[in-house]
Amino acid sequence: MVIYFMKKLLCLLPYLLFWSLASGAAEKPNTILIHPGETIYARFTQLGGKIKLVQTSKTLDAEAQVILTLDPTDPAKKKPLLNLKVENKFSQDLIYKAQLRSLTENRKIMAPVYPVVAGKLALVAFPPRTEEIALFGYELER
């Protein structure tokens, strides 16, 4: 009887390990997650060309160096595109990476993004099925 349960447990072990790694995986500390309708204010520390995320807030923050807003382009449409607005308050161009995520379909895809000019804002349109965007890999262009 004990051997039977041990065999069953050994068969389930790979599934349990994979499930715990997949479901318990946390985001890296330098990642911002933004959802449609949100505005996020981000503060960074600067070390040469590299910058490290220190704090994010959903309330107005005058000290934030980067302001992110994710809103639909035309809310009246049934499936509007999403606009990611990235405002760069650094004195250098901001480089970052973005990953689009559909949580209901369990899909992730890297998105093409361009550097945000110092002191300006950039608009990037994304497909309507995007439920979450992960932003990471921040650098300042030299």
Side-chain angles (χ1 to χ4, degrees):
M1 185 75 153
V2 171
I3 294 173
Y4 172 76
F5 285 114
M6 299 261 299
K7 285 182 182 178
K8 289 290 185 184
L9 205 82
L10 284 174
C11 290
L12 290 175
L13 188 61
Y15 295 109
L16 292 173
L17 287 174
F18 176 75
W19 180 78
S20 66
L21 288 174
S23 64
E27 292 296 330
K28 292 183 180 179
N30 216 21
T31 301
I32 297 175
L33 296 178
I34 187 166
H35 303 89
E38 289 183 340
T39 297
I40 296 181
Y41 301 86
R43 289 186 187 196
F44 294 85
T45 57
Q46 188 173 351
L47 304 165
K50 298 272 184 183
I51 55 176
K52 184 178 178 183
L53 182 65
V54 177
Q55 177 184 356
T56 60
S57 173
K58 291 184 182 178
T59 58
L60 182 64
D61 183 358
E63 301 289 319
Q65 292 113 331
V66 177
I67 302 171
L68 306 160
T69 306
L70 185 61
D71 283 324
T73 54
D74 185 3
K77 288 186 179 180
K78 189 168 186 165
K79 290 185 177 181
L81 293 175
L82 292 173
N83 265 344
L84 175 65
K85 182 170 76 171
V86 181
E87 187 175 346
N88 176 13
K89 294 188 176 186
F90 283 106
S91 60
Q92 295 173 286
D93 296 355
L94 175 69
I95 301 170
Y96 65 98
K97 296 176 185 172
Q99 183 182 60
L100 306 180
R101 297 176 179 179
S102 172
L103 304 175
T104 55
E105 296 176 9
N106 197 24
R107 293 186 180 191
K108 298 177 182 181
I109 186 169
M110 292 302 293
V113 292
Y114 302 99
V116 183
V117 176
K120 304 286 183 181
L121 65 91
L123 287 173
V124 185
F126 292 117
R129 290 188 175 163
T130 303
E131 298 171 19
E132 177 178 83
I133 299 176
L135 303 159
F136 56 93
Y138 312 100
E139 291 181 35
L140 295 176
E141 198 167 64
R142 297 176 193 149

